[in-house]
Amino acid sequence: MPSAPNTVSTPVPAVNIYTDVFNLKAVSTFIDAIEQECSDSTGGLYWDDSFTGNGSLSDYRSSLACHLDLFMDPRQDSPVKSLFTQEIRNKIYECVNDYCEQYTVHHGLHEPFNLLKYSAGAHYRSHYDYGPDMHRVFSIVAYLKNTSTGGDLELPYFNTTIKAEENSVLIFPSSYPYTHYANHVVDGVKYSLVTWYR
């Protein structure tokens, strides 16, 4: 597997930002295909309200989520899954391999990918990704496409803001010191892809 992208920054300890990760044309084709599939009521993918970590729905989190569980099933195949695997998932895996090597991180499998859609006003308030029933080691946010203003990620305990820059992958520990929140999107749309390694 090729090495991770050369452009990596570490604004705070154990937080890596990988830039220039994806082919933007391929990402745009993927997003368009997902939107088309989600608009087809007979398709297997759909937009749903995002839930918080305890499985509840509240104004604490106001994005939409498209759960890509089908893409984890090796028996399922489609042009969209192939595009996702080659142009997005494999690029994220390169970043993960680099991160794990840099910090000597041991982990199991990751949870299914969720594609998140933040439209005007959408946000996710302060939270961290580890919990009693969610023994997550590190978190991944891939900013695929972003036409929005606002929507940046805040790490309050580090007094740090990370720009939601499309074509980048953010990897950070899931524990409470890395509490974070996604600021309100002012206008436009932000598409991000998330997963967590256990």
mmCIF file with all atom_site columns, all heavy atoms in Angstrom, residues 59-82:
data_model
loop_
_atom_site.group_PDB
_atom_site.id
_atom_site.type_symbol
_atom_site.label_atom_id
_atom_site.label_alt_id
_atom_site.label_comp_id
_atom_site.label_asym_id
_atom_site.label_entity_id
_atom_site.label_seq_id
_atom_site.pdbx_PDB_ins_code
_atom_site.Cartn_x
_atom_site.Cartn_y
_atom_site.Cartn_z
_atom_site.occupancy
_atom_site.B_iso_or_equiv
_atom_site.pdbx_formal_charge
_atom_site.auth_seq_id
_atom_site.auth_comp_id
_atom_site.auth_asym_id
_atom_site.auth_atom_id
_atom_site.pdbx_PDB_model_num
ATOM 1   N N   . ASP A 1 59 ? -31.560 18.155  19.857  1.00 0.00 ? 59 ASP A N   1
ATOM 2   C CA  . ASP A 1 59 ? -30.984 19.313  19.169  1.00 0.00 ? 59 ASP A CA  1
ATOM 3   C C   . ASP A 1 59 ? -29.498 19.475  19.492  1.00 0.00 ? 59 ASP A C   1
ATOM 4   O O   . ASP A 1 59 ? -28.856 20.407  19.047  1.00 0.00 ? 59 ASP A O   1
ATOM 5   C CB  . ASP A 1 59 ? -31.748 20.589  19.512  1.00 0.00 ? 59 ASP A CB  1
ATOM 6   C CG  . ASP A 1 59 ? -31.674 20.958  20.992  1.00 0.00 ? 59 ASP A CG  1
ATOM 7   O OD1 . ASP A 1 59 ? -31.043 20.199  21.771  1.00 0.00 ? 59 ASP A OD1 1
ATOM 8   O OD2 . ASP A 1 59 ? -32.246 21.988  21.373  1.00 0.00 ? 59 ASP A OD2 1
ATOM 9   N N   . TYR A 1 60 ? -28.946 18.532  20.282  1.00 0.00 ? 60 TYR A N   1
ATOM 10  C CA  . TYR A 1 60 ? -27.518 18.538  20.576  1.00 0.00 ? 60 TYR A CA  1
ATOM 11  C C   . TYR A 1 60 ? -26.706 18.307  19.305  1.00 0.00 ? 60 TYR A C   1
ATOM 12  O O   . TYR A 1 60 ? -25.570 18.746  19.188  1.00 0.00 ? 60 TYR A O   1
ATOM 13  C CB  . TYR A 1 60 ? -27.218 17.434  21.596  1.00 0.00 ? 60 TYR A CB  1
ATOM 14  C CG  . TYR A 1 60 ? -25.969 17.670  22.409  1.00 0.00 ? 60 TYR A CG  1
ATOM 15  C CD1 . TYR A 1 60 ? -26.009 18.478  23.541  1.00 0.00 ? 60 TYR A CD1 1
ATOM 16  C CD2 . TYR A 1 60 ? -24.769 17.082  22.073  1.00 0.00 ? 60 TYR A CD2 1
ATOM 17  C CE1 . TYR A 1 60 ? -24.875 18.707  24.297  1.00 0.00 ? 60 TYR A CE1 1
ATOM 18  C CE2 . TYR A 1 60 ? -23.623 17.298  22.819  1.00 0.00 ? 60 TYR A CE2 1
ATOM 19  C CZ  . TYR A 1 60 ? -23.690 18.115  23.930  1.00 0.00 ? 60 TYR A CZ  1
ATOM 20  O OH  . TYR A 1 60 ? -22.552 18.339  24.674  1.00 0.00 ? 60 TYR A OH  1
ATOM 21  N N   . ARG A 1 61 ? -27.332 17.609  18.363  1.00 0.00 ? 61 ARG A N   1
ATOM 22  C CA  . ARG A 1 61 ? -26.675 17.274  17.101  1.00 0.00 ? 61 ARG A CA  1
ATOM 23  C C   . ARG A 1 61 ? -27.714 17.425  15.998  1.00 0.00 ? 61 ARG A C   1
ATOM 24  O O   . ARG A 1 61 ? -28.786 16.842  16.077  1.00 0.00 ? 61 ARG A O   1
ATOM 25  C CB  . ARG A 1 61 ? -26.158 15.839  17.161  1.00 0.00 ? 61 ARG A CB  1
ATOM 26  C CG  . ARG A 1 61 ? -25.364 15.423  15.964  1.00 0.00 ? 61 ARG A CG  1
ATOM 27  C CD  . ARG A 1 61 ? -24.870 13.985  16.127  1.00 0.00 ? 61 ARG A CD  1
ATOM 28  N NE  . ARG A 1 61 ? -23.881 13.677  15.100  1.00 0.00 ? 61 ARG A NE  1
ATOM 29  C CZ  . ARG A 1 61 ? -23.389 12.468  14.892  1.00 0.00 ? 61 ARG A CZ  1
ATOM 30  N NH1 . ARG A 1 61 ? -23.780 11.452  15.646  1.00 0.00 ? 61 ARG A NH1 1
ATOM 31  N NH2 . ARG A 1 61 ? -22.498 12.272  13.947  1.00 0.00 ? 61 ARG A NH2 1
ATOM 32  N N   . SER A 1 62 ? -27.375 18.156  14.942  1.00 0.00 ? 62 SER A N   1
ATOM 33  C CA  . SER A 1 62 ? -28.409 18.461  13.950  1.00 0.00 ? 62 SER A CA  1
ATOM 34  C C   . SER A 1 62 ? -27.995 18.193  12.507  1.00 0.00 ? 62 SER A C   1
ATOM 35  O O   . SER A 1 62 ? -28.591 18.726  11.580  1.00 0.00 ? 62 SER A O   1
ATOM 36  C CB  . SER A 1 62 ? -28.857 19.923  14.106  1.00 0.00 ? 62 SER A CB  1
ATOM 37  O OG  . SER A 1 62 ? -27.746 20.794  14.014  1.00 0.00 ? 62 SER A OG  1
ATOM 38  N N   . SER A 1 63 ? -27.000 17.348  12.316  1.00 0.00 ? 63 SER A N   1
ATOM 39  C CA  . SER A 1 63 ? -26.628 16.967  10.949  1.00 0.00 ? 63 SER A CA  1
ATOM 40  C C   . SER A 1 63 ? -27.506 15.812  10.482  1.00 0.00 ? 63 SER A C   1
ATOM 41  O O   . SER A 1 63 ? -28.271 15.236  11.257  1.00 0.00 ? 63 SER A O   1
ATOM 42  C CB  . SER A 1 63 ? -25.154 16.550  10.906  1.00 0.00 ? 63 SER A CB  1
ATOM 43  O OG  . SER A 1 63 ? -24.930 15.432  11.753  1.00 0.00 ? 63 SER A OG  1
ATOM 44  N N   . LEU A 1 64 ? -27.377 15.476  9.200   1.00 0.00 ? 64 LEU A N   1
ATOM 45  C CA  . LEU A 1 64 ? -27.990 14.272  8.656   1.00 0.00 ? 64 LEU A CA  1
ATOM 46  C C   . LEU A 1 64 ? -26.907 13.226  8.474   1.00 0.00 ? 64 LEU A C   1
ATOM 47  O O   . LEU A 1 64 ? -25.745 13.562  8.248   1.00 0.00 ? 64 LEU A O   1
ATOM 48  C CB  . LEU A 1 64 ? -28.660 14.563  7.310   1.00 0.00 ? 64 LEU A CB  1
ATOM 49  C CG  . LEU A 1 64 ? -29.840 15.524  7.333   1.00 0.00 ? 64 LEU A CG  1
ATOM 50  C CD1 . LEU A 1 64 ? -30.332 15.783  5.900   1.00 0.00 ? 64 LEU A CD1 1
ATOM 51  C CD2 . LEU A 1 64 ? -30.981 14.986  8.189   1.00 0.00 ? 64 LEU A CD2 1
ATOM 52  N N   . ALA A 1 65 ? -27.284 11.945  8.559   1.00 0.00 ? 65 ALA A N   1
ATOM 53  C CA  . ALA A 1 65 ? -26.311 10.857  8.424   1.00 0.00 ? 65 ALA A CA  1
ATOM 54  C C   . ALA A 1 65 ? -26.790 9.846   7.394   1.00 0.00 ? 65 ALA A C   1
ATOM 55  O O   . ALA A 1 65 ? -27.973 9.508   7.345   1.00 0.00 ? 65 ALA A O   1
ATOM 56  C CB  . ALA A 1 65 ? -26.103 10.170  9.770   1.00 0.00 ? 65 ALA A CB  1
ATOM 57  N N   . CYS A 1 66 ? -25.859 9.386   6.586   1.00 0.00 ? 66 CYS A N   1
ATOM 58  C CA  . CYS A 1 66 ? -26.092 8.273   5.667   1.00 0.00 ? 66 CYS A CA  1
ATOM 59  C C   . CYS A 1 66 ? -25.150 7.161   6.119   1.00 0.00 ? 66 CYS A C   1
ATOM 60  O O   . CYS A 1 66 ? -23.931 7.288   6.005   1.00 0.00 ? 66 CYS A O   1
ATOM 61  C CB  . CYS A 1 66 ? -25.805 8.685   4.223   1.00 0.00 ? 66 CYS A CB  1
ATOM 62  S SG  . CYS A 1 66 ? -26.015 7.339   3.042   1.00 0.00 ? 66 CYS A SG  1
ATOM 63  N N   . HIS A 1 67 ? -25.715 6.101   6.674   1.00 0.00 ? 67 HIS A N   1
ATOM 64  C CA  . HIS A 1 67 ? -24.918 5.008   7.213   1.00 0.00 ? 67 HIS A CA  1
ATOM 65  C C   . HIS A 1 67 ? -24.472 4.095   6.076   1.00 0.00 ? 67 HIS A C   1
ATOM 66  O O   . HIS A 1 67 ? -25.296 3.567   5.331   1.00 0.00 ? 67 HIS A O   1
ATOM 67  C CB  . HIS A 1 67 ? -25.730 4.232   8.251   1.00 0.00 ? 67 HIS A CB  1
ATOM 68  C CG  . HIS A 1 67 ? -26.262 5.109   9.341   1.00 0.00 ? 67 HIS A CG  1
ATOM 69  N ND1 . HIS A 1 67 ? -25.464 5.598   10.348  1.00 0.00 ? 67 HIS A ND1 1
ATOM 70  C CD2 . HIS A 1 67 ? -27.496 5.620   9.551   1.00 0.00 ? 67 HIS A CD2 1
ATOM 71  C CE1 . HIS A 1 67 ? -26.184 6.359   11.149  1.00 0.00 ? 67 HIS A CE1 1
ATOM 72  N NE2 . HIS A 1 67 ? -27.421 6.391   10.683  1.00 0.00 ? 67 HIS A NE2 1
ATOM 73  N N   . LEU A 1 68 ? -23.170 3.909   5.962   1.00 0.00 ? 68 LEU A N   1
ATOM 74  C CA  . LEU A 1 68 ? -22.605 3.140   4.856   1.00 0.00 ? 68 LEU A CA  1
ATOM 75  C C   . LEU A 1 68 ? -22.297 1.700   5.273   1.00 0.00 ? 68 LEU A C   1
ATOM 76  O O   . LEU A 1 68 ? -21.325 1.105   4.809   1.00 0.00 ? 68 LEU A O   1
ATOM 77  C CB  . LEU A 1 68 ? -21.351 3.839   4.326   1.00 0.00 ? 68 LEU A CB  1
ATOM 78  C CG  . LEU A 1 68 ? -21.549 5.284   3.857   1.00 0.00 ? 68 LEU A CG  1
ATOM 79  C CD1 . LEU A 1 68 ? -20.246 5.858   3.326   1.00 0.00 ? 68 LEU A CD1 1
ATOM 80  C CD2 . LEU A 1 68 ? -22.645 5.379   2.806   1.00 0.00 ? 68 LEU A CD2 1
ATOM 81  N N   . ASP A 1 69 ? -23.134 1.129   6.127   1.00 0.00 ? 69 ASP A N   1
ATOM 82  C CA  . ASP A 1 69 ? -22.951 -0.248  6.594   1.00 0.00 ? 69 ASP A CA  1
ATOM 83  C C   . ASP A 1 69 ? -22.861 -1.231  5.431   1.00 0.00 ? 69 ASP A C   1
ATOM 84  O O   . ASP A 1 69 ? -22.103 -2.204  5.490   1.00 0.00 ? 69 ASP A O   1
ATOM 85  C CB  . ASP A 1 69 ? -24.115 -0.675  7.502   1.00 0.00 ? 69 ASP A CB  1
ATOM 86  C CG  . ASP A 1 69 ? -24.296 0.251   8.687   1.00 0.00 ? 69 ASP A CG  1
ATOM 87  O OD1 . ASP A 1 69 ? -24.415 1.471   8.470   1.00 0.00 ? 69 ASP A OD1 1
ATOM 88  O OD2 . ASP A 1 69 ? -24.333 -0.250  9.814   1.00 0.00 ? 69 ASP A OD2 1
ATOM 89  N N   . LEU A 1 70 ? -23.647 -0.988  4.379   1.00 0.00 ? 70 LEU A N   1
ATOM 90  C CA  . LEU A 1 70 ? -23.644 -1.892  3.228   1.00 0.00 ? 70 LEU A CA  1
ATOM 91  C C   . LEU A 1 70 ? -22.257 -2.024  2.612   1.00 0.00 ? 70 LEU A C   1
ATOM 92  O O   . LEU A 1 70 ? -21.907 -3.065  2.065   1.00 0.00 ? 70 LEU A O   1
ATOM 93  C CB  . LEU A 1 70 ? -24.619 -1.402  2.156   1.00 0.00 ? 70 LEU A CB  1
ATOM 94  C CG  . LEU A 1 70 ? -26.114 -1.498  2.457   1.00 0.00 ? 70 LEU A CG  1
ATOM 95  C CD1 . LEU A 1 70 ? -26.917 -0.817  1.356   1.00 0.00 ? 70 LEU A CD1 1
ATOM 96  C CD2 . LEU A 1 70 ? -26.541 -2.951  2.602   1.00 0.00 ? 70 LEU A CD2 1
ATOM 97  N N   . PHE A 1 71 ? -21.463 -0.963  2.718   1.00 0.00 ? 71 PHE A N   1
ATOM 98  C CA  . PHE A 1 71 ? -20.137 -0.974  2.118   1.00 0.00 ? 71 PHE A CA  1
ATOM 99  C C   . PHE A 1 71 ? -19.161 -1.866  2.884   1.00 0.00 ? 71 PHE A C   1
ATOM 100 O O   . PHE A 1 71 ? -18.081 -2.171  2.397   1.00 0.00 ? 71 PHE A O   1
ATOM 101 C CB  . PHE A 1 71 ? -19.566 0.440   2.042   1.00 0.00 ? 71 PHE A CB  1
ATOM 102 C CG  . PHE A 1 71 ? -20.267 1.327   1.041   1.00 0.00 ? 71 PHE A CG  1
ATOM 103 C CD1 . PHE A 1 71 ? -21.351 0.877   0.296   1.00 0.00 ? 71 PHE A CD1 1
ATOM 104 C CD2 . PHE A 1 71 ? -19.842 2.621   0.845   1.00 0.00 ? 71 PHE A CD2 1
ATOM 105 C CE1 . PHE A 1 71 ? -21.985 1.696   -0.625  1.00 0.00 ? 71 PHE A CE1 1
ATOM 106 C CE2 . PHE A 1 71 ? -20.468 3.456   -0.080  1.00 0.00 ? 71 PHE A CE2 1
ATOM 107 C CZ  . PHE A 1 71 ? -21.550 2.984   -0.814  1.00 0.00 ? 71 PHE A CZ  1
ATOM 108 N N   . MET A 1 72 ? -19.538 -2.274  4.101   1.00 0.00 ? 72 MET A N   1
ATOM 109 C CA  . MET A 1 72 ? -18.681 -3.154  4.901   1.00 0.00 ? 72 MET A CA  1
ATOM 110 C C   . MET A 1 72 ? -18.918 -4.631  4.568   1.00 0.00 ? 72 MET A C   1
ATOM 111 O O   . MET A 1 72 ? -18.162 -5.491  4.978   1.00 0.00 ? 72 MET A O   1
ATOM 112 C CB  . MET A 1 72 ? -18.942 -2.930  6.399   1.00 0.00 ? 72 MET A CB  1
ATOM 113 C CG  . MET A 1 72 ? -18.669 -1.516  6.880   1.00 0.00 ? 72 MET A CG  1
ATOM 114 S SD  . MET A 1 72 ? -16.933 -1.091  6.971   1.00 0.00 ? 72 MET A SD  1
ATOM 115 C CE  . MET A 1 72 ? -16.473 -1.959  8.470   1.00 0.00 ? 72 MET A CE  1
ATOM 116 N N   . ASP A 1 73 ? -19.988 -4.912  3.849   1.00 0.00 ? 73 ASP A N   1
ATOM 117 C CA  . ASP A 1 73 ? -20.364 -6.288  3.517   1.00 0.00 ? 73 ASP A CA  1
ATOM 118 C C   . ASP A 1 73 ? -19.645 -6.715  2.239   1.00 0.00 ? 73 ASP A C   1
ATOM 119 O O   . ASP A 1 73 ? -19.905 -6.160  1.172   1.00 0.00 ? 73 ASP A O   1
ATOM 120 C CB  . ASP A 1 73 ? -21.882 -6.377  3.336   1.00 0.00 ? 73 ASP A CB  1
ATOM 121 C CG  . ASP A 1 73 ? -22.373 -7.799  3.126   1.00 0.00 ? 73 ASP A CG  1
ATOM 122 O OD1 . ASP A 1 73 ? -21.552 -8.687  2.814   1.00 0.00 ? 73 ASP A OD1 1
ATOM 123 O OD2 . ASP A 1 73 ? -23.587 -8.021  3.259   1.00 0.00 ? 73 ASP A OD2 1
ATOM 124 N N   . PRO A 1 74 ? -18.736 -7.690  2.313   1.00 0.00 ? 74 PRO A N   1
ATOM 125 C CA  . PRO A 1 74 ? -17.994 -8.092  1.110   1.00 0.00 ? 74 PRO A CA  1
ATOM 126 C C   . PRO A 1 74 ? -18.873 -8.721  0.033   1.00 0.00 ? 74 PRO A C   1
ATOM 127 O O   . PRO A 1 74 ? -18.476 -8.810  -1.123  1.00 0.00 ? 74 PRO A O   1
ATOM 128 C CB  . PRO A 1 74 ? -16.970 -9.111  1.647   1.00 0.00 ? 74 PRO A CB  1
ATOM 129 C CG  . PRO A 1 74 ? -17.532 -9.581  2.942   1.00 0.00 ? 74 PRO A CG  1
ATOM 130 C CD  . PRO A 1 74 ? -18.338 -8.445  3.494   1.00 0.00 ? 74 PRO A CD  1
ATOM 131 N N   . ARG A 1 75 ? -20.090 -9.127  0.408   1.00 0.00 ? 75 ARG A N   1
ATOM 132 C CA  . ARG A 1 75 ? -20.997 -9.739  -0.580  1.00 0.00 ? 75 ARG A CA  1
ATOM 133 C C   . ARG A 1 75 ? -21.725 -8.691  -1.408  1.00 0.00 ? 75 ARG A C   1
ATOM 134 O O   . ARG A 1 75 ? -22.323 -9.004  -2.427  1.00 0.00 ? 75 ARG A O   1
ATOM 135 C CB  . ARG A 1 75 ? -22.019 -10.636 0.126   1.00 0.00 ? 75 ARG A CB  1
ATOM 136 C CG  . ARG A 1 75 ? -21.377 -11.811 0.877   1.00 0.00 ? 75 ARG A CG  1
ATOM 137 C CD  . ARG A 1 75 ? -22.359 -12.454 1.808   1.00 0.00 ? 75 ARG A CD  1
ATOM 138 N NE  . ARG A 1 75 ? -22.753 -11.479 2.828   1.00 0.00 ? 75 ARG A NE  1
ATOM 139 C CZ  . ARG A 1 75 ? -23.646 -11.719 3.777   1.00 0.00 ? 75 ARG A CZ  1
ATOM 140 N NH1 . ARG A 1 75 ? -24.238 -12.878 3.855   1.00 0.00 ? 75 ARG A NH1 1
ATOM 141 N NH2 . ARG A 1 75 ? -23.934 -10.799 4.666   1.00 0.00 ? 75 ARG A NH2 1
ATOM 142 N N   . GLN A 1 76 ? -21.691 -7.451  -0.936  1.00 0.00 ? 76 GLN A N   1
ATOM 143 C CA  . GLN A 1 76 ? -22.353 -6.359  -1.651  1.00 0.00 ? 76 GLN A CA  1
ATOM 144 C C   . GLN A 1 76 ? -21.356 -5.685  -2.590  1.00 0.00 ? 76 GLN A C   1
ATOM 145 O O   . GLN A 1 76 ? -20.230 -5.413  -2.190  1.00 0.00 ? 76 GLN A O   1
ATOM 146 C CB  . GLN A 1 76 ? -22.910 -5.331  -0.664  1.00 0.00 ? 76 GLN A CB  1
ATOM 147 C CG  . GLN A 1 76 ? -23.953 -5.866  0.291   1.00 0.00 ? 76 GLN A CG  1
ATOM 148 C CD  . GLN A 1 76 ? -25.267 -6.135  -0.389  1.00 0.00 ? 76 GLN A CD  1
ATOM 149 O OE1 . GLN A 1 76 ? -25.593 -5.515  -1.393  1.00 0.00 ? 76 GLN A OE1 1
ATOM 150 N NE2 . GLN A 1 76 ? -26.025 -7.077  0.141   1.00 0.00 ? 76 GLN A NE2 1
ATOM 151 N N   . ASP A 1 77 ? -21.789 -5.416  -3.806  1.00 0.00 ? 77 ASP A N   1
ATOM 152 C CA  . ASP A 1 77 ? -20.922 -4.706  -4.736  1.00 0.00 ? 77 ASP A CA  1
ATOM 153 C C   . ASP A 1 77 ? -21.755 -3.763  -5.582  1.00 0.00 ? 77 ASP A C   1
ATOM 154 O O   . ASP A 1 77 ? -22.910 -4.066  -5.913  1.00 0.00 ? 77 ASP A O   1
ATOM 155 C CB  . ASP A 1 77 ? -20.152 -5.686  -5.620  1.00 0.00 ? 77 ASP A CB  1
ATOM 156 C CG  . ASP A 1 77 ? -18.915 -5.043  -6.238  1.00 0.00 ? 77 ASP A CG  1
ATOM 157 O OD1 . ASP A 1 77 ? -18.516 -3.964  -5.770  1.00 0.00 ? 77 ASP A OD1 1
ATOM 158 O OD2 . ASP A 1 77 ? -18.372 -5.615  -7.197  1.00 0.00 ? 77 ASP A OD2 1
ATOM 159 N N   . SER A 1 78 ? -21.194 -2.632  -5.908  1.00 0.00 ? 78 SER A N   1
ATOM 160 C CA  . SER A 1 78 ? -21.866 -1.641  -6.751  1.00 0.00 ? 78 SER A CA  1
ATOM 161 C C   . SER A 1 78 ? -20.812 -0.660  -7.232  1.00 0.00 ? 78 SER A C   1
ATOM 162 O O   . SER A 1 78 ? -19.732 -0.560  -6.647  1.00 0.00 ? 78 SER A O   1
ATOM 163 C CB  . SER A 1 78 ? -22.948 -0.903  -5.959  1.00 0.00 ? 78 SER A CB  1
ATOM 164 O OG  . SER A 1 78 ? -22.355 -0.055  -4.997  1.00 0.00 ? 78 SER A OG  1
ATOM 165 N N   . PRO A 1 79 ? -21.111 0.089   -8.306  1.00 0.00 ? 79 PRO A N   1
ATOM 166 C CA  . PRO A 1 79 ? -20.161 1.113   -8.766  1.00 0.00 ? 79 PRO A CA  1
ATOM 167 C C   . PRO A 1 79 ? -19.841 2.152   -7.691  1.00 0.00 ? 79 PRO A C   1
ATOM 168 O O   . PRO A 1 79 ? -18.704 2.616   -7.582  1.00 0.00 ? 79 PRO A O   1
ATOM 169 C CB  . PRO A 1 79 ? -20.876 1.750   -9.959  1.00 0.00 ? 79 PRO A CB  1
ATOM 170 C CG  . PRO A 1 79 ? -21.817 0.698   -10.448 1.00 0.00 ? 79 PRO A CG  1
ATOM 171 C CD  . PRO A 1 79 ? -22.257 -0.046  -9.215  1.00 0.00 ? 79 PRO A CD  1
ATOM 172 N N   . VAL A 1 80 ? -20.852 2.502   -6.870  1.00 0.00 ? 80 VAL A N   1
ATOM 173 C CA  . VAL A 1 80 ? -20.621 3.499   -5.818  1.00 0.00 ? 80 VAL A CA  1
ATOM 174 C C   . VAL A 1 80 ? -19.684 2.939   -4.758  1.00 0.00 ? 80 VAL A C   1
ATOM 175 O O   . VAL A 1 80 ? -18.768 3.618   -4.290  1.00 0.00 ? 80 VAL A O   1
ATOM 176 C CB  . VAL A 1 80 ? -21.959 3.942   -5.171  1.00 0.00 ? 80 VAL A CB  1
ATOM 177 C CG1 . VAL A 1 80 ? -21.713 4.948   -4.066  1.00 0.00 ? 80 VAL A CG1 1
ATOM 178 C CG2 . VAL A 1 80 ? -22.890 4.520   -6.204  1.00 0.00 ? 80 VAL A CG2 1
ATOM 179 N N   . LYS A 1 81 ? -19.890 1.683   -4.372  1.00 0.00 ? 81 LYS A N   1
ATOM 180 C CA  . LYS A 1 81 ? -19.011 1.060   -3.381  1.00 0.00 ? 81 LYS A CA  1
ATOM 181 C C   . LYS A 1 81 ? -17.584 0.962   -3.920  1.00 0.00 ? 81 LYS A C   1
ATOM 182 O O   . LYS A 1 81 ? -16.626 1.228   -3.193  1.00 0.00 ? 81 LYS A O   1
ATOM 183 C CB  . LYS A 1 81 ? -19.521 -0.323  -3.001  1.00 0.00 ? 81 LYS A CB  1
ATOM 184 C CG  . LYS A 1 81 ? -18.617 -1.016  -1.986  1.00 0.00 ? 81 LYS A CG  1
ATOM 185 C CD  . LYS A 1 81 ? -19.069 -2.416  -1.653  1.00 0.00 ? 81 LYS A CD  1
ATOM 186 C CE  . LYS A 1 81 ? -18.054 -3.101  -0.736  1.00 0.00 ? 81 LYS A CE  1
ATOM 187 N NZ  . LYS A 1 81 ? -18.413 -4.496  -0.425  1.00 0.00 ? 81 LYS A NZ  1
ATOM 188 N N   . SER A 1 82 ? -17.434 0.594   -5.185  1.00 0.00 ? 82 SER A N   1
ATOM 189 C CA  . SER A 1 82 ? -16.092 0.490   -5.787  1.00 0.00 ? 82 SER A CA  1
ATOM 190 C C   . SER A 1 82 ? -15.391 1.841   -5.796  1.00 0.00 ? 82 SER A C   1
ATOM 191 O O   . SER A 1 82 ? -14.204 1.952   -5.466  1.00 0.00 ? 82 SER A O   1
ATOM 192 C CB  . SER A 1 82 ? -16.186 -0.061  -7.208  1.00 0.00 ? 82 SER A CB  1
ATOM 193 O OG  . SER A 1 82 ? -16.680 -1.377  -7.197  1.00 0.00 ? 82 SER A OG  1
#
